[in-house]
Amino acid sequence: MGESEHQQTAGSRLGAPESGGISTLEHGIKPPTSPQGKSFPFKIQMLDDTQETIEVPIRAPGKALLDAVCNHLNLVEGDYFGLEFLDHRKIMVWLDLIKPIVKQIRRPKNVVLKFVVKFFPPDHTQLQEELTRYLFALQVKQDLVQGRLICNESSAALLISHIVQSEIGDFDESVDREHLSKNTYMPQQEELEDKIMEFHRNHFGQTPAESDFQLLEIARRLELYGVRLHPAKDREGTKINLAVANTGILVFQGHTKINAFNWAKVRKLSFKRKRFLIKLRPDSNSSYQDTLEFMMASRDFCKSFWKICVEYHAFFRLFEEPKPKPKPVLFSRGSSFRFSGRTQKQVLDYVKEGGHKKVQFERKHSKMCSIRSLTIHPPDQIPEVPKESSNITLTQITQPDEIQSLKQQKEDKVAADTSVQRKSPSPKKSPLDRRAQEAATLKIDGSLTGSPHLSELSINSQGGMIGLNSSLSPNLSPDGKSSSPLISPLLNEPVCIRTDDEEDSRKKRCPTDKAYFIAKEVSTTECTYLKDLEVITTWFLKALNKDDSMPESLKTLMFSNFEPIHKFHTAFLKEVDQRLALWEGRSNSYMKSENQKIGDIMLKNIQGMKQLTSNLQKHYEALMELEKAIKASRKLEIVCRDFEQEKVCYLPLNSFLIQPLHRLMHYKQIMERLCKHYSPNHPDFRDSRAALAEISEMVAQLHGTMIKMENFQKLQELRKDLTGIDNLVIPGREFIRLGSLSKLSGKGLQQRMFFLFNDVLLYTSRGLTSSNQFKVHGQLPLYNMTVEESEEEWGVPHCLTLRSQNQAIVVAASSRSEMEKWREDIQMAISLAEKSGGPIPELLASSPPDGKSPEEGPADQESEDDLSSSRTSLERQSPHRGNTTVHVCWHRNTSVSMIDFSFAVENQLSGNLLRKFKNSNGWQKLWVVFTNFCLFFYKSHQDNHPLASLPLLGYSLTIPSESENIHKDYVFKLHFKSHVYYFRAENEYTFERWMEVIRSATDSACRSRLLSHRETHMY
């Protein structure tokens, strides 16, 4: 089998570790290098009937040539296409992407490869780029001309009318007749000319892009759309035609479909010599035999059809590219062929992430410019490819940036239509025209790596997203459920553009004293805190009242403690807002000192909070009792689970129970900043210092309760994320760190999720269960464990060897800093385990829920005689628990510790920000809440639930450079790979505060900070 290039997986798009290709545990083995050699000019016939010459090394795999063609076209969605050629047996075959080209094409000088559509999706709205739809339209046109797409006269005339509209524009009878006389679109076209022109008359004002869209809309409903017929005979010798589609195997008699075998019904596909075999799943209602047999012209024809069936099944049904089979030691049985490349799900995820620059392309047969596109593709975002040179070498190939999302394009359209003046802090040249600027600053990314980020989304329980519109959100499984694990902000609401004049006038009205901005932060964060309290006091109570599932004693315990807190803070927020209104107003000079302070209000209310200490101390009891009641009552468990899926519950339910204790720490930090700002002679200093002393006393009094609640809440959340484990939540167990590491095994480096506690280290993989849980593979007791660096021994960067009493594993981190964090925390956990005095009880469940361990290989291996239905079928996945911190760490290939969680809750922040995408001009005003390593976006502070979210783990926080042409003050930049967001604060204080709190989620805490924090932390 030829050498295989590394394929992108769903995890690698979010930053998961790339395997080095190590296939054994022998020391020093390095991954194979890509083939080098002299480039050869291959002739490629394009869909527009032009012929191009593409140069790649002749010993390179077929994928290199296909990638070169796609790069030549600036085609992002190239996975739908393939290269076919006539081999030495005069059979039209597809170029294998894994095998070297030299082993497939005997006389390359005499061969012309055709670049054509290979995989036809069920819905053309899944094609996100205009260029891709244009190429699909050319394929439909080609199939019409060649007589492959057979349909009735009305359908044919309507298809041709859209082709004519895209080529010559609006209807003109004389021009139409001349054009149809010079161009043939189907056999016997003359008989349909009048009907074609009649249809064409109705397409007035339709752009080429819209014509392509309508053409594909009509074509996809035709029975023979995307179908290639393969002659065969059934058992009785009747001549039939076989075909493969995204749904399964089709059987035609002539050009009429007489049967279809859905992929869900097919158990195995195989061939033996000239016989093509379909083994069906048992069905008592079916009259068919278990195995259907069809005879084809030869073994080569039969194998060719079998291979395309394998590829169609993998492309449309699997999540990721199937892994290669291990090579047999002595004998091989059957074909080693497998699908190579991204699956449709990976393509959809990749393209929907956003970030690609739109480039222009030329419609060879069109006399029109694509002035505007569809509603989902605004005019300033029409992708076009520059006129191509006739020669290109592989060394010159680069990949375009990731495509912007549809929602971002909508915002760009509004922004482009709105005049926004740029305010430059220093004299600069005026910005270029938008298109000219994009062309001048076009960045080419040589990687195909991406991360599932941008799509049309709404919020679910823990800040994740689910698709809003299935017709425009192709990243769905067949049952309509979203399969994308992670998300970023894309709001459905219209953008709110604020001009610089409005901004300047607003700044003039606002006070400039830092104390005012600190008081403003009290107001904005208090507003968010009240909304969080209402999640329990209003929304959760409402859910419980619908169904009498919670014991009255627990309901009394929980709500009798929360309602007084909610009532108190409602009055507190009102008082703070009244003071801010006076502070901002034009009061008399003798009253200014009375109104321009906040310490007195803070002192008064903090003293009032001390009366609620007994209520706060009962929250731990309420949390414990709630978990006990959920365990005891299936009915209550369902109510809580369903409530967590509500939009208003944007965090895990039990985390809202800890919010009142975390809020005390926020007050303490605010008062520390206020006291630091004031001089001892300031009239507000005495009250502020007294308020700081009062709140510090409360925090110290409740600190132990808060630590216990944080640990218990985190263990409960991890219990929901893990499967195959018993007794995770036990007295004395403390969570320390979780994150993604690569474990070295006989199959090479494999990504695993590790969970470190004070007595045990668990390693897991992301399960293929309906709940997206992580399945436990094994546990390493920390008692007597040793940790040592072993990079030189195994030839793997950032590598550690962990040796426990009866097992040793080798793990690799994504970076040196990650390795150091894991090593330090594991060594600390080992010392804690040794102090505890012995090994832990067995944690693993006696019977894993999914049967055999994920480490075990499949019982049956796919071969020439066996194409079993994969367990990774799209229909198996459910979106539940696909967006927690654990999953973000898995996809972003990072880790977080309990101390990181503690810092995150201490650094919560709320307020208005202006947001701008990388390729848009307008700024959108949003209410933003930072909590739980995530930014949550609201249209206003009055909204009950967020519209979207952006997990920040793995992102980098920087200041925009001069070259980015962001001529605004107080702007910071968030970027992960090709995803870039600009955020603009209203003043210097809020700018610095947002930078401070976001850095706590995007940057690793320094060692000294962690060590100092550990003195007060639970471990």
Side-chain angles (χ1 to χ4, degrees):
M1 187 170 174
E3 297 178 46
S4 173
E5 289 195 342
H6 173 69
Q7 299 297 328
Q8 188 189 46
T9 65
S12 69
R13 292 194 312 278
L14 281 167
E18 297 183 0
S19 171
I22 299 173
S23 58
T24 73
L25 290 179
E26 297 177 12
H27 299 187
I29 292 184
K30 299 293 182 182
T33 56
S34 57
Q36 300 293 328
K38 187 176 180 181
S39 295
F40 183 87
F42 290 93
K43 289 176 281 187
I44 311 294
Q45 183 174 327
M46 301 297 185
L47 281 164
D48 60 0
D49 297 328
T50 59
Q51 192 174 109
E52 302 289 345
T53 301
I54 306 292
E55 292 188 7
V56 297
I58 196 167
R59 295 188 180 278
K63 185 179 186 301
L65 182 55
L66 179 61
D67 287 348
V69 176
C70 293
N71 279 275
H72 185 52
L73 295 171
N74 283 341
L75 178 63
V76 177
E77 297 172 293
D79 303 80
Y80 291 104
F81 299 84
L83 295 170
E84 63 175 2
F85 63 96
L86 207 62
D87 69 0
H88 64 282
R89 299 160 299 183
K90 303 301 180 185
I91 298 175
M92 191 64 76
V93 296
W94 293 101
L95 184 70
D96 192 314
L97 300 185
I98 296 180
K99 288 185 179 179
I101 303 172
V102 69
K103 292 187 177 182
Q104 302 182 66
I105 305 176
R106 291 192 174 182
R107 296 191 178 115
K109 288 185 179 179
N110 304 324
V111 172
V112 177
L113 295 98
K114 294 182 179 180
F115 178 75
V116 293
V117 177
K118 186 175 185 179
F119 301 110
F120 290 81
D123 189 352
H124 62 290
T125 60
Q126 294 176 343
L127 306 174
Q128 300 296 305
E129 281 209 310
E130 182 185 334
L131 173 59
T132 312
R133 292 194 296 274
Y134 170 59
L135 295 174
F136 267 73
L138 290 180
Q139 183 68 66
V140 171
K141 175 183 172 183
Q142 191 178 98
D143 290 347
L144 270 174
V145 173
Q146 296 174 356
R148 187 181 293 161
L149 183 58
I150 297 173
C151 55
N152 60 46
E153 291 183 355
S154 294
S155 296
L158 187 56
L159 288 170
I160 295 171
S161 71
H162 284 295
I163 296 173
V164 172
Q165 173 71 20
S166 70
E167 292 182 354
I168 66 174
D170 294 336
F171 174 77
D172 183 295
E173 186 171 351
S174 60
V175 175
D176 273 35
R177 289 199 183 277
E178 181 183 359
H179 186 77
L180 290 171
S181 66
K182 292 180 179 179
N183 296 274
T184 301
Y185 296 106
M186 66 173 294
Q188 301 176 347
Q189 176 180 296
E190 298 79 9
E191 302 173 5
L192 298 177
E193 284 188 4
D194 291 337
K195 189 172 284 189
I196 293 169
M197 289 191 292
E198 182 184 342
F199 283 129
H200 185 203
R201 192 190 304 270
N202 300 325
H203 304 332
F204 182 80
Q206 192 168 277
T207 65
E210 291 170 330
S211 298
D212 291 344
F213 193 88
Q214 295 299 328
L215 176 74
L216 296 176
E217 176 65 28
I218 299 160
R220 76 182 183 92
R221 302 177 188 275
L222 302 177
E223 203 165 60
L224 289 171
Y225 170 66
V227 167
R228 295 199 175 196
L229 300 176
H230 298 258
K233 292 180 180 179
D234 61 13
R235 282 186 173 178
E236 285 74 34
T238 305
K239 290 184 178 180
I240 57 167
N241 289 302
L242 297 178
V244 63
N246 57 81
T247 55
I249 309 294
L250 310 178
V251 182
F252 289 81
Q253 197 159 37
H255 295 111
T256 304
K257 185 168 71 174
I258 60 173
N259 211 339
F261 301 101
N262 194 283
W263 291 126
K265 297 179 182 178
V266 177
R267 182 181 174 189
K268 184 196 298 184
L269 294 177
S270 60
F271 73 94
K272 292 181 180 178
R273 298 183 178 87
K274 296 192 295 183
R275 290 182 297 145
F276 181 76
L277 306 173
I278 305 176
K279 191 169 185 178
L280 302 176
R281 298 185 183 279
D283 186 357
S284 57
N285 299 322
S286 175
S287 58
Y288 296 106
Q289 301 174 359
D290 287 346
T291 304
L292 301 175
E293 184 177 309
F294 300 94
M295 191 71 69
M296 305 192 82
S298 67
R299 181 187 182 278
D300 293 332
F301 279 107
C302 195
K303 183 176 182 180
S304 178
F305 180 63
W306 174 81
K307 288 169 75 173
I308 189 62
C309 289
V310 172
E311 292 181 307
Y312 253 82
H313 174 270
F315 184 76
F316 287 107
R317 297 280 286 181
L318 303 190
F319 284 136
E320 299 177 352
E321 175 190 0
K323 296 179 181 178
K325 297 187 302 179
K327 292 184 178 181
V329 179
L330 296 175
F331 304 104
S332 63
R333 179 174 177 268
S335 172
S336 60
F337 176 78
R338 66 181 176 89
F339 170 74
S340 174
R342 293 184 295 190
T343 64
Q344 189 195 29
K345 180 189 180 300
Q346 290 176 297
V347 176
L348 294 175
D349 287 348
Y350 172 69
V351 175
K352 289 175 67 181
E353 288 156 11
H356 292 294
K357 293 278 187 180
K358 296 298 179 180
V359 291
Q360 297 184 341
F361 67 90
E362 180 184 28
R363 294 173 177 267
K364 179 176 180 292
H365 299 285
S366 179
K367 299 178 183 177
M368 296 178 60
C369 295
S370 191
I371 299 170
R372 73 179 196 280
S373 188
L374 296 171
T375 308
I376 59 173
H377 289 280
D380 57 345
Q381 293 296 322
I382 296 169
E384 300 193 5
V385 174
K387 292 185 180 181
E388 304 142 352
S389 61
S390 59
N391 249 310
I392 179 170
T393 62
L394 184 63
T395 57
Q396 297 169 330
I397 292 172
T398 53
Q399 300 286 352
D401 283 350
E402 293 179 86
I403 296 174
Q404 296 176 36
S405 68
L406 304 182
K407 272 295 170 189
Q408 181 176 336
Q409 295 171 17
K410 286 183 179 176
E411 295 183 8
D412 289 352
K413 183 176 181 180
V414 178
D417 294 339
T418 306
S419 175
V420 181
Q421 300 176 3
R422 289 181 176 268
K423 177 180 141 188
S424 185
S426 59
K428 286 184 176 64
K429 294 181 181 179
S430 60
L432 299 171
D433 173 78
R434 185 162 187 262
R435 286 184 184 240
Q437 186 179 4
E438 284 188 359
T441 61
L442 179 64
K443 295 173 72 177
I444 303 298
D445 181 8
S447 169
L448 280 174
T449 315
S451 61
H453 270 265
L454 302 180
S455 55
E456 299 217 5
L457 303 165
S458 79
I459 199 86
N460 76 352
S461 58
Q462 282 86 27
M465 306 297 164
I466 55 176
L468 286 174
N469 187 339
S470 60
S471 65
L472 291 178
S473 297
N475 186 24
L476 299 176
S477 57
D479 56 2
K481 297 178 180 178
S482 171
S483 54
S484 178
L486 291 174
I487 30 63
S488 278
L490 277 175
L491 308 184
N492 280 325
E493 306 299 332
V495 293
C496 305
I497 305 299
R498 286 171 58 178
T499 65
D500 290 335
D501 290 338
E502 293 173 334
E503 192 73 17
D504 291 340
S505 63
R506 187 178 184 281
K507 285 180 181 177
K508 290 174 185 176
R509 291 196 302 268
C510 290
T512 56
D513 185 7
K514 184 178 179 180
Y516 165 80
F517 296 118
I518 294 175
K520 190 74 175 175
E521 182 182 335
V522 174
S523 173
T524 56
T525 53
E526 192 73 11
C527 180
T528 299
Y529 175 52
L530 268 180
K531 288 290 183 183
D532 288 345
L533 289 176
E534 287 170 7
V535 172
I536 299 295
T537 60
T538 302
W539 299 99
F540 187 46
L541 179 61
K542 185 179 178 181
L544 291 172
N545 288 338
K546 289 180 182 178
D547 195 341
D548 190 19
S549 55
M550 179 179 281
E552 282 301 322
S553 58
L554 175 57
K555 190 180 290 188
T556 302
L557 173 65
M558 182 178 295
F559 295 102
S560 64
N561 286 296
F562 263 88
E563 284 167 0
I565 295 173
H566 179 264
K567 184 178 179 180
F568 175 86
H569 285 275
T570 301
F572 175 39
L573 176 61
K574 185 177 180 180
E575 190 172 356
V576 172
D577 286 344
Q578 287 173 347
R579 174 61 58 86
L580 286 171
L582 292 172
W583 202 328
E584 294 169 359
R586 296 183 178 181
S587 59
N588 294 325
S589 58
Y590 70 88
M591 294 181 61
K592 282 186 178 179
S593 61
E594 292 298 318
N595 292 329
Q596 294 184 351
K597 60 181 182 179
I598 192 68
D600 57 333
I601 292 179
M602 296 300 296
L603 176 60
K604 171 190 167 185
N605 283 277
I606 288 172
Q607 288 173 341
M609 288 177 207
K610 296 186 79 171
Q611 309 302 318
L612 299 172
T613 302
S614 59
N615 299 78
L616 295 172
Q617 287 174 332
K618 291 181 181 178
H619 284 191
Y620 180 54
E621 182 185 351
L623 179 61
M624 296 282 288
E625 291 299 321
L626 177 61
E627 293 298 337
K628 287 179 184 177
I630 289 174
K631 272 187 178 181
S633 171
R634 174 67 175 165
K635 193 175 180 182
L636 179 59
E637 181 185 359
I638 293 171
V639 170
C640 294
R641 185 191 62 199
D642 291 345
F643 180 72
E644 281 198 328
Q645 298 301 312
E646 295 291 331
K647 294 179 181 179
V648 72
C649 188
Y650 67 102
L651 296 172
L653 174 60
N654 53 17
S655 67
F656 289 101
L657 300 178
I658 317 178
Q659 294 281 33
L661 297 177
H662 287 159
R663 186 62 180 154
L664 298 180
M665 301 187 68
H666 303 160
Y667 294 140
K668 182 173 180 285
Q669 289 182 340
I670 287 171
M671 296 315 301
E672 285 173 348
R673 284 198 300 275
L674 191 61
C675 291
K676 187 176 180 181
H677 165 66
Y678 283 148
S679 65
N681 299 324
H682 194 280
D684 198 29
F685 178 74
R686 179 175 294 182
D687 286 341
S688 299
R689 189 172 61 177
L692 175 59
E694 296 277 5
I695 194 64
S696 298
E697 182 184 340
M698 283 190 70
V699 169
Q701 185 178 354
L702 294 168
H703 184 70
T705 301
M706 185 182 67
I707 292 299
K708 288 191 293 184
M709 288 184 73
E710 284 181 338
N711 185 66
F712 182 77
Q713 187 267 337
K714 187 52 59 183
L715 289 177
Q716 290 291 348
E717 277 304 296
L718 294 180
R719 182 179 61 81
K720 297 176 186 177
D721 280 316
L722 297 176
T723 182
I725 185 170
D726 291 331
N727 303 321
L728 180 66
V729 185
I730 59 173
R733 173 159 296 137
E734 299 167 1
F735 164 70
I736 296 178
R737 179 175 291 276
L738 65 85
S740 174
L741 294 171
S742 295
K743 179 176 174 289
L744 192 61
S745 68
K747 298 177 183 178
L749 284 172
Q750 295 184 317
Q751 187 182 7
R752 294 287 179 261
M753 198 70 185
F754 283 74
F755 298 85
L756 177 63
F757 303 93
N758 63 339
D759 54 354
V760 68
L761 176 66
L762 301 178
Y763 58 94
T764 69
S765 69
R766 193 182 182 197
L768 300 172
T769 64
S770 60
S771 57
N772 273 334
Q773 292 172 298
F774 285 83
K775 191 169 184 180
V776 177
H777 287 205
Q779 61 172 333
L780 294 174
L782 298 181
Y783 190 73
N784 289 334
M785 178 186 280
T786 60
V787 184
E788 58 188 48
E789 268 194 71
S790 51
E791 183 173 332
E792 294 182 1
E793 181 181 359
W794 297 104
V796 178
H798 322 306
C799 180
L800 293 173
T801 299
L802 310 178
R803 303 183 191 277
S804 65
Q805 292 175 338
N806 50 15
Q807 187 181 1
I809 63 171
V810 179
V811 297
S814 59
S815 65
R816 185 80 187 177
S817 61
E818 275 291 304
M819 184 192 76
E820 291 296 337
K821 285 189 284 186
W822 275 104
R823 181 169 64 174
E824 181 175 335
D825 281 351
I826 291 173
Q827 286 175 340
M828 180 191 67
I830 291 171
S831 64
L832 290 173
E834 290 174 351
K835 288 178 184 177
S836 67
I840 61 162
E842 186 69 20
L843 273 174
L844 297 185
S846 55
S847 176
D850 291 345
K852 63 184 180 182
S853 167
E855 295 279 23
E856 299 173 17
D860 301 303
Q861 296 293 333
E862 286 185 2
S863 69
E864 176 179 274
D865 296 318
D866 184 4
L867 177 64
S868 300
S869 179
S870 171
R871 291 182 297 173
T872 58
S873 165
L874 284 174
E875 64 191 13
R876 304 294 181 89
Q877 186 99 356
S878 159
H880 181 54
R881 299 202 68 77
N883 44 31
T884 62
T885 304
V886 178
H887 287 81
V888 176
C889 288
W890 169 266
H891 289 293
R892 301 269 171 87
N893 190 26
T894 187
S895 67
V896 292
S897 68
M898 190 64 201
I899 297 177
D900 294 325
F901 281 107
S902 298
F903 282 134
V905 298
E906 291 173 14
N907 287 289
Q908 294 181 5
L909 191 61
S910 310
N912 286 312
L913 286 175
L914 298 175
R915 185 193 63 185
K916 177 185 175 303
F917 290 111
K918 180 169 62 174
N919 298 314
S920 65
N921 288 332
W923 292 86
Q924 182 182 9
K925 183 181 179 182
L926 299 168
W927 178 263
V928 184
V929 174
F930 170 78
T931 184
N932 202 35
F933 305 106
C934 196
L935 291 177
F936 294 93
F937 300 90
Y938 301 72
K939 189 178 179 184
S940 77
H941 70 278
Q942 296 173 333
D943 291 354
N944 290 321
H945 59 81
L947 296 168
S949 68
L950 176 64
L952 293 181
L953 290 174
Y955 268 79
S956 297
L957 175 67
T958 58
I959 304 296
S961 62
E962 290 293 327
S963 62
E964 293 174 87
N965 292 320
I966 305 294
H967 305 305
K968 301 290 181 184
D969 297 327
Y970 315 128
V971 176
F972 59 90
K973 171 183 171 183
L974 282 170
H975 59 98
F976 174 75
K977 296 187 177 177
S978 62
H979 306 286
V980 178
Y981 306 97
Y982 300 100
F983 292 93
R984 181 175 157 202
E986 295 178 336
N987 50 71
E988 184 178 1
Y989 174 81
T990 53
F991 169 76
E992 291 174 351
R993 284 291 293 136
W994 280 109
M995 291 282 287
E996 178 185 347
V997 299
I998 292 176
R999 191 173 285 118
S1000 71
T1002 57
D1003 294 350
S1004 299
C1006 66
R1007 295 293 98 190
S1008 59
R1009 186 182 177 194
L1010 291 180
L1011 290 171
S1012 64
H1013 190 81
R1014 279 186 184 128
E1015 295 176 3
T1016 58
H1017 204 68
M1018 54 184 296
Y1019 48 81

